[in-house]
Amino acid sequence: YRHNLACGDVEGKFDILFNRVRAIQKKSGNFDLLLCVGNFFGSTPDAEWEEYKTGIKKAPIQTYVLGANNQETVKYFQDADGCELAENITYLGRKGIFTGSSGLQIVYLSGTESLNEPVPGYNFSPKDVSSLRTMLCTTSQFKGVDILLTSPWPKYVGNFGNSSGEVDTKKCGSALASSLAMGLKPRYHFAALEKTYYERLPYRNHIVLQENAQHATRFIALANVGNPEKKKYLYAFSIVPMKLMDAAELVKQPPDVTENPYRKSGQEASIGKQIPAPVEESACQFFFDLNEKQGRKRSSTGRDSKSSPHPKQPRKPPQPPGPCWFCLASPEVEKHLVVSIGTHCYLALAKGGLSDDHVLILPIGHYQSVVELSAEVVEEVEKYKATLRQFFKSRGKRCVVFERNYKSHHLQLQVIPVPVSCCATDDIKDAFITQAQEQQIELLEIPEHSDIKQIAQPGTAYFYVELDTGEKLFHRIKKNFPLQFGREVLASEAILNIPGKSDWRQCQISKEDEETLARRFRKDFEPYDFTLDD
């Protein structure tokens, strides 16, 4: 079981909230996460927040918060993709999926509903909701998610349920949030903004006698922190991640389960109308042929299609919320730079690379960082790393791998070969540490066998280097970080001695030259490329 806390509108009362959490943890032991919905910041002066922001005070638990619901608090949430606001306090972002270290899947949608374009920074639109639905619901294996976080209540949530008190759920709340809850089938859905506590009876997600049993959903609305009426604002719950549960256990129906509040002939139409249906896409569209000359189409499993007429369709990888330069399925990808394609990852030459053989390992699906990768993707990333080490070793080079999870949307693992004649591994390590110190960056050595997932929570910004000996250096990005830091160190006189090349934009070459380099790399790498083994 994972023990978590959910909280309603904090409205800037951070001390009251965190003191309460400390008291609960003292009594009941530690919780994994605190999830805050509604207004995290209030219209009160910021003196209290400054103490957390500057580190004088610290949240006693990993805290994840939704973004602004009004113009006056937009200023606190500068980065639409989420960022660390203070130690242990992370803004999740405008919308997306966050997977906890235990495998708990949490979908979040910040702001309140707006049907007007352009959408202000504190609202979400029908497009946002349909893109979240498309990201998740288009696979046949999709069963639901563990937790859904929205600030507004979903409209109609009181239908068929126990009384919601003063709140009239036919008039108040967001129909888009209802549509999202209907599609995502969360096991828990938390909301706030109405300054009251309402725990709805659990409702079912399947149509009785027409569909197989599915798990029930519990909707819980929370009051505001420190409210004088002592309405409940903090809710403790224990949950085993869905993907670790036995199917029969998961679909057990609670005795007080009700009909689905959003499924009603008249309203179904009103909820459905605002949401374009998600488009089904074939999972095979990501794989284009790199080996025209051998005249064989690689199926998505990386085997020869002649031998298996029905390649097993892999699970559809996560989709980006908008255009992405690195999703293999997306039109923005510069396909001529791709040099090898596996089942879950691919290899591409870096644009404006530090050298002709500077490559990137990228996941095919839209993952933001190594921390978020599923096990089978991690396995293939490791396979690519090992293969590249071998390949570069045969050419008298050792490779340095680094990742910057900061102001980036799609994971890029940079793999840069350094000629053995240039310097020893220790020199590379020293250069990273020295140049980090000069820029007040705390680069820590972490145990070789430690998994980065144990160190960084999803959503945390970080920079990470791995040397050919397996030694690893890690920096948790608190606020700002020089975007080209990894390149600057490797380009410096201590290592490759090409200081002019620290910015990739200075190193761009023509598309023809890129094609030539990619062809050459493919040919050299072919004997090592495990994706070509039949």
Side-chain angles (χ1 to χ4, degrees):
Y1 276 100
R2 314 309 300 187
H3 306 294
N4 303 293
L5 291 166
C7 171
D9 309 271
V10 182
E11 294 187 330
K13 295 180 178 169
F14 309 112
D15 288 350
I16 296 179
L17 168 65
F18 291 133
N19 288 338
R20 180 94 185 87
V21 169
R22 277 189 198 95
I24 292 174
Q25 300 217 80
K26 201 169 172 182
K27 201 172 106 191
S28 318
N30 283 351
F31 287 80
D32 285 9
L33 307 171
L34 166 63
L35 306 168
C36 297
V37 291
N39 294 314
F40 188 64
F41 294 99
S43 42
T44 47
D46 285 345
E48 218 174 276
W49 175 241
E50 276 306 308
E51 297 184 305
Y52 287 90
K53 206 170 135 185
T54 52
I56 296 169
K57 290 182 177 167
K58 179 181 160 181
I61 183 173
Q62 272 291 338
T63 304
Y64 291 92
V65 311
L66 290 180
N69 297 299
N70 50 46
Q71 186 56 57
E72 58 179 0
T73 54
V74 169
K75 60 180 186 216
Y76 297 103
F77 304 101
Q78 293 302 326
D79 193 340
D81 295 312
C83 55
E84 193 168 88
L85 300 175
E87 191 168 355
N88 268 358
I89 303 176
T90 304
Y91 162 45
L92 285 162
R94 291 282 292 268
K95 61 168 191 289
I97 308 150
F98 162 81
T99 307
S101 50
S102 59
L104 203 61
Q105 246 203 342
I106 302 170
V107 175
Y108 54 90
L109 178 64
S110 287
T112 54
E113 173 175 313
S114 164
L115 302 175
N116 307 328
E117 293 281 339
V119 179
Y122 51 88
N123 288 142
F124 56 83
S125 67
K127 237 192 236 131
D128 290 321
V129 171
S130 66
S131 86
L132 269 176
R133 285 184 63 155
T134 307
M135 252 191 251
L136 283 149
C137 309
T138 39
T139 56
S140 56
Q141 292 92 340
F142 178 75
K143 282 201 193 79
V145 298
D146 290 308
I147 298 169
L148 171 62
L149 305 176
T150 62
S151 285
W153 289 28
K155 203 170 183 176
Y156 312 120
V157 69
N159 285 351
F160 312 121
N162 44 325
S163 160
S164 50
E166 284 93 86
V167 182
D168 179 354
T169 62
K170 288 188 172 53
K171 295 200 179 86
C172 128
S174 156
L176 288 174
S178 314
S179 149
L180 190 60
M182 177 105 182
L184 295 187
K185 304 174 187 170
R187 292 160 68 200
Y188 281 91
H189 178 178
F190 294 102
L193 298 183
E194 300 297 334
K195 313 260 171 158
T196 189
Y197 168 65
Y198 171 50
E199 182 166 0
R200 190 200 182 285
L201 290 171
Y203 64 80
R204 60 175 78 90
N205 281 300
H206 59 283
I207 301 172
V208 185
L209 304 178
Q210 286 183 34
E211 295 174 318
N212 288 339
Q214 294 172 26
H215 59 271
T217 293
R218 295 171 190 277
F219 171 75
I220 293 138
L222 293 159
N224 44 321
V225 168
N227 65 82
E229 302 81 33
K230 303 251 185 298
K231 292 177 180 170
K232 190 176 172 87
Y233 63 81
L234 204 55
Y235 182 93
F237 63 107
S238 297
I239 183 170
V240 174
M242 191 182 258
K243 60 181 195 192
L244 304 178
M245 276 185 81
D246 172 61
E249 193 59 35
L250 177 66
V251 303
K252 269 193 185 151
Q253 300 296 300
D256 51 356
V257 70
T258 78
E259 190 41 69
N260 188 311
Y262 314 123
R263 190 181 287 124
K264 205 173 179 192
S265 47
Q267 279 153 7
E268 179 63 351
S270 72
I271 291 173
K273 266 207 299 275
Q274 301 178 1
I275 300 291
V279 193
E280 272 286 0
E281 293 168 31
S282 130
C284 271
Q285 67 181 26
F286 306 112
F287 303 93
F288 41 87
D289 198 357
L290 287 176
N291 317 17
E292 298 95 338
K293 59 180 190 299
Q294 288 123 325
R296 58 177 195 140
K297 180 79 187 83
R298 295 209 15 261
S299 74
S300 56
T301 47
R303 291 192 191 82
D304 198 323
S305 52
K306 285 190 206 80
S307 60
S308 56
H310 304 294
K312 190 166 160 282
Q313 292 263 323
R315 256 219 325 271
K316 188 175 178 206
Q319 301 300 293
C324 176
W325 290 96
F326 300 105
C327 277
L328 201 39
S330 104
E332 287 84 13
V333 163
E334 304 213 27
K335 299 216 180 343
H336 65 283
L337 291 170
V338 176
V339 289
S340 164
I341 303 179
T343 311
H344 305 288
C345 306
Y346 71 101
L347 210 55
L349 279 191
K351 203 167 177 59
L354 277 169
S355 59
D356 291 351
D357 44 7
H358 170 176
V359 288
L360 308 175
I361 302 173
L362 303 123
I364 288 169
H366 190 74
Y367 294 93
Q368 189 171 332
S369 71
V370 164
V371 179
E372 286 164 25
L373 297 180
S374 60
E376 64 263 32
V377 186
V378 170
E379 195 182 327
E380 198 169 85
V381 165
E382 292 304 324
K383 204 166 172 183
Y384 263 126
K385 279 202 269 192
T387 309
L388 285 165
R389 279 197 195 101
Q390 233 182 325
F391 168 65
F392 286 127
K393 193 176 174 183
S394 73
R395 308 176 85 75
K397 297 174 182 185
R398 57 177 110 249
C399 60
V400 179
V401 178
F402 71 81
E403 179 198 356
R404 182 196 81 227
N405 180 31
Y406 171 73
K407 292 203 186 317
S408 58
H409 303 278
H410 189 118
L411 163 64
Q412 306 159 50
L413 272 184
Q414 309 268 348
V415 184
I416 294 101
V418 176
V420 172
S421 55
C422 262
C423 53
T425 305
D426 277 351
D427 301 328
I428 300 176
K429 185 172 156 186
D430 291 347
F432 269 103
I433 291 169
T434 315
Q435 293 185 44
Q437 276 167 350
E438 282 166 14
Q439 302 192 39
Q440 270 93 51
I441 294 167
E442 187 184 26
L443 202 54
L444 303 171
E445 190 161 349
I446 57 175
E448 278 176 42
H449 298 294
S450 65
D451 180 352
I452 192 142
K453 288 187 179 203
Q454 298 159 347
I455 295 162
Q457 290 277 341
T460 311
Y462 62 83
F463 173 81
Y464 156 81
V465 190
E466 195 175 325
L467 303 167
D468 62 325
T469 49
E471 292 170 284
K472 297 172 182 175
L473 305 170
F474 177 85
H475 165 66
R476 227 177 115 151
I477 299 174
K478 290 282 196 317
K479 218 165 186 177
N480 297 321
F481 185 77
L483 295 183
Q484 305 290 348
F485 177 71
R487 280 186 73 114
E488 281 165 11
V489 175
L490 290 166
S492 67
E493 288 162 17
I495 303 176
L496 291 169
N497 197 8
I498 40 172
K501 282 194 161 188
S502 62
D503 186 343
W504 68 274
R505 286 176 290 253
Q506 309 294 319
C507 307
Q508 279 177 296
I509 53 177
S510 69
K511 188 174 174 182
E512 289 74 83
D513 289 348
E514 286 177 339
E515 282 170 344
T516 307
L517 289 181
R519 261 199 308 276
R520 188 189 312 155
F521 188 94
R522 263 179 235 141
K523 183 169 162 283
D524 293 344
F525 186 60
E526 198 172 328
Y528 295 84
D529 191 347
F530 60 87
T531 67
L532 301 175
D533 303 342
D534 272 333

